[in-house]
Amino acid sequence: MSGGGTRDGSLEQLKREGRIVVVGASLAGLRAAETMRDKGFTGSLTMIGDEPHEPYDRPPLSKQVLLGNAAADHTALPRRRAIDADWRLGVPATGLDMAARRVRLGNGDEVEYDRLLIATGVRARPWPNPEEGELAGVFVLRTRDDGEGLQRALAARPRRVLVIGAGFTGSEIASACRERGLKVTVAERGSAPLVGALGAVIGEVAAEMHREHEVDLRTGVMVTALEGDPAGRVRAAHLSDGSTVEADVVVVSLGAQRNTEWLAGSGLGAGPRGIACDAGCRAFDVRGIVTDDIYVAGDVARSPHALFGYQFLSLEHWGNAVAQAETAAHNMLSESTDRRPHLWVPAFWSSQFGVNIKSVGVPPMGTEIIVTQGSLAERRFAAVYGYQGRVIAAVTFDNCRWLPFYEQQIEGTAPFPPPFTTVDRRPEGNKPVPADFPDPSVPTHGPTITLSGYSPADRKMTFTPGH
Amino acid sequence: MRLVVDLNRCQGYAQCAFLAPDVFAMHGDESLLYNPEAAAEQRENVARAVAACPVGAILLELTDEDMAGVVPQEAGAGAGSGGSR
């Protein structure tokens, strides 16, 4: 089968009897497969996933599941329609032969494709010292099995839980522990929780939430070592300020790594920051040339966004996985003139300490912030981020009905600070303040957006040779 | 019965928590918690919640078990049709 669909009828042939392979059997992979069938694809569809489970939803794992309100193995995603796929679950993809159009699997099998969709997502960043990470009682939280194990450990009433990293997941875990009446210490390298994703102004509000709920919050520190007892169970952690925290459960919540190692040497433009693709989800090869038959979607993709200076955005967002999957699936089965760009406005939510946190746009691009409704002190507010005189993002705490309005402002490149005077301005005043994001060259835990593209406005880039 | 709520869309109207309180619950003022795999006997309540959500954020998939004992003409309307988007 020829690569690009053209007027010679090859697109019709692809839709009728082509072979599509989806690597990554989670939210993005499933929604893409459903979209392909919706668009009349009747050929063979193979779904490859390294986990043994059918696609399941992850957000409940750090919320309902940890609270004991839902079982981790009861989070399978509802289907929009039947997809009639050949499922290869419990076996990872281990290689890609772009020339032969073949995906190699961990069990030695090879699967041929006419179109390939890569949606391999991310995995939890493990504790850097493998020996310490192996101690019983040390967890990460990403998969269904992780959620099940951590839930069981919390149900056993540990004397203290240590959460390393106060990004969204770490904060949600701490919140669930407190709700279960467990003692919890949170160690964060940054100056406040959520500081990488939302900046220090909002991070301070998050820090207050932790303290008010009697979380033992330690900021500006790193955990330097985990210590086990003779039976191989974790018992304590040593911190960079010289202190020690005794804990029976340690949750390593240091963000995610992209699942791209299996593509090493394949010639595809894949690396630690994800897989670069064009706005239509077509993957780049290592030479920067766009492929015709390989598409990417979800957490593993990096794509340029017109609203954000064509920066390449990697988004670990639920809604992005759905929207990008739909766009990729559409484009995989369309003539080049019918393809559409993935221009989803980034959006995410979190729920912690009973507060609903939601955001639209790209907060880490913001240099200034202004509270436009409510007040930080009440923990019920909307705040807007500004970048070069325009609205670039907004965040709400228990005020989510304002977000669609700010989404329109972002899409319309509205001016910042917002000129409207009919909405309430509360004690924080009318003047924007610095949003106070950490130096981007210093890694922080838990930002769900990675800005990794070259911006023409930024002349501060330096070349850092490898070791 | 499997369900998922698009929490980007959800604006905390709490209609679902009124109509199917055993499946949906508010957590604080506007956060929603829900059971992603609700029991078959909740089918009617969940269907009402799906229909009542002002932003159409609930995607529901009914399994054969959920449809057992449902009169055929009703089954035709709901089975396998998925959700509400």
Side-chain angles (χ1 to χ4, degrees):
Chain A
M1 178 151 307
S2 83
T6 55
R7 270 164 293 176
D8 62 7
S10 60
L11 178 64
E12 283 316 306
Q13 199 190 346
L14 171 77
K15 287 174 85 161
R16 207 168 49 241
E17 58 198 38
R19 299 161 301 177
I20 293 183
V21 172
V22 177
V23 184
S26 191
L27 178 63
L30 176 64
R31 295 296 180 239
E34 291 166 341
T35 306
M36 291 172 205
R37 292 300 191 201
D38 271 347
K39 294 190 69 68
F41 173 64
T42 54
S44 82
L45 179 59
T46 306
M47 303 286 293
I48 298 165
D50 60 343
E51 289 183 72
H53 316 297
E54 65 173 304
Y56 59 88
D57 205 28
R58 295 183 200 279
L61 296 177
S62 58
K63 306 175 185 77
Q64 289 98 307
V65 170
L66 288 194
L67 290 170
N69 294 341
D73 57 351
H74 286 188
T75 63
L77 281 162
R79 306 287 177 87
R80 290 182 183 166
R81 54 161 297 140
I83 57 171
D84 183 27
D86 175 19
W87 292 88
R88 307 281 186 94
L89 296 177
V91 52
T94 53
L96 169 66
D97 185 336
M98 288 171 64
R101 293 184 174 172
R102 267 200 293 259
V103 174
R104 206 161 43 246
L105 303 187
N107 61 8
D109 283 1
E110 294 195 333
V111 189
E112 294 189 337
Y113 62 83
D114 300 305
R115 292 277 190 282
L116 172 66
L117 177 67
I118 301 175
T120 42
V122 302
R123 63 182 182 278
R125 187 185 304 283
W127 184 242
N129 180 324
E131 209 171 289
E132 294 173 5
E134 292 283 299
L135 291 168
V138 178
F139 294 88
V140 294
L141 180 53
R142 174 74 194 168
T143 67
R144 193 182 113 173
D145 296 345
D146 295 337
E148 204 168 308
L150 181 56
Q151 199 290 127
R152 230 181 297 123
L154 297 186
R157 316 274 329 153
R159 282 166 300 169
R160 180 171 289 277
V161 178
L162 170 65
V163 180
I164 307 175
F168 285 107
T169 306
S171 298
E172 287 172 10
I173 294 165
S175 168
C177 289
R178 289 304 302 139
E179 205 157 321
R180 296 181 81 142
L182 299 169
K183 289 182 180 165
V184 58
T185 297
V186 172
E188 163 61 42
R189 173 159 58 181
S191 63
L194 313 184
V195 70
L198 296 174
V201 174
I202 303 302
E204 261 321 302
V205 181
E208 276 303 304
M209 277 161 45
H210 281 249
R211 293 193 191 104
E212 200 165 278
H213 288 84
E214 295 175 349
V215 172
D216 171 28
L217 176 67
R218 319 270 186 102
T219 56
V221 294
M222 286 193 289
V223 174
T224 52
L226 300 177
E227 184 188 320
D229 64 15
R233 279 203 62 86
V234 70
R235 58 168 295 275
H238 300 281
L239 274 52
S240 56
D241 61 2
S243 63
T244 300
V245 175
E246 291 192 15
D248 329 304
V249 170
V250 173
V251 192
V252 178
S253 195
L254 297 176
Q257 292 177 318
R258 288 171 170 76
N259 292 319
T260 55
E261 290 83 352
W262 67 283
L263 295 164
S266 67
L268 202 66
R273 285 174 163 177
I275 303 165
C277 62
D278 73 359
C281 309
R282 292 184 299 173
F284 288 125
D285 71 13
V286 287
R287 304 165 300 172
I289 298 174
V290 77
T291 58
D292 282 325
D293 46 4
I294 304 177
Y295 289 71
V296 288
D299 295 3
V300 79
R302 295 172 59 206
S303 67
H305 201 307
L307 267 183
F308 305 100
Y310 291 97
Q311 286 233 42
F312 278 72
L313 299 183
S314 307
L315 301 170
E316 292 172 40
H317 294 167
W318 191 94
N320 182 66
V322 175
Q324 200 165 22
E326 290 168 351
T327 301
H330 169 89
N331 291 347
M332 287 169 86
L333 297 169
S334 294
E335 301 285 2
S336 61
T337 48
D338 296 332
R339 289 182 187 142
R340 55 180 200 224
H342 173 58
L343 291 178
W344 190 72
V345 179
F348 67 85
W349 73 84
S350 174
S351 171
Q352 45 191 275
F353 306 105
V355 175
N356 187 32
I357 301 175
K358 291 178 84 164
S359 158
V360 293
V362 182
M365 267 182 98
T367 50
E368 295 175 289
I369 188 168
I370 183 168
V371 177
T372 45
Q373 278 92 27
S375 82
L376 300 179
E378 288 167 17
R379 248 168 267 147
R380 189 181 182 91
F381 61 87
V384 179
Y385 294 83
Y387 171 70
Q388 295 186 348
R390 57 172 280 216
V391 172
I392 205 79
V395 61
T396 59
F397 276 42
D398 274 349
N399 224 333
C400 69
R401 282 175 212 171
W402 276 102
L403 276 188
F405 169 73
Y406 288 114
E407 186 174 334
Q408 285 174 4
Q409 298 264 306
I410 296 162
E411 284 181 313
T413 63
F416 181 93
F420 41 81
T421 52
T422 51
V423 294
D424 64 342
R425 290 267 169 82
R426 299 290 296 279
E428 279 82 14
N430 289 336
K431 282 225 161 56
V433 298
D436 207 4
F437 280 94
D439 179 348
S441 68
V442 178
T444 50
H445 310 320
T448 55
I449 302 177
T450 306
L451 296 169
S452 51
Y454 170 70
S455 161
D458 187 349
R459 296 184 176 277
K460 292 181 291 188
M461 297 218 349
T462 51
F463 175 61
T464 310
H467 302 298
Chain B
M1 171 175 9
R2 295 170 169 185
L3 55 97
V4 67
V5 179
D6 183 341
L7 292 172
N8 282 320
R9 287 177 178 229
C10 176
Q11 298 199 348
Y13 287 100
Q15 297 299 305
C16 56
F18 285 117
L19 292 165
D22 291 336
V23 179
F24 303 94
M26 299 311 293
H27 190 244
D29 286 342
E30 60 174 50
S31 288
L32 178 69
L33 291 182
Y34 60 93
N35 183 350
E37 195 172 298
E41 58 265 27
Q42 292 293 327
R43 192 180 63 87
E44 293 287 334
N45 289 345
V46 171
R48 279 190 206 106
V50 169
C53 178
V55 291
I58 308 169
L59 176 67
L60 171 69
E61 182 195 7
L62 297 174
T63 58
D64 293 345
E65 192 192 334
D66 298 315
M67 300 314 293
V70 176
V71 284
Q73 61 267 36
E74 213 185 315
S81 65
S84 57
R85 290 172 63 98

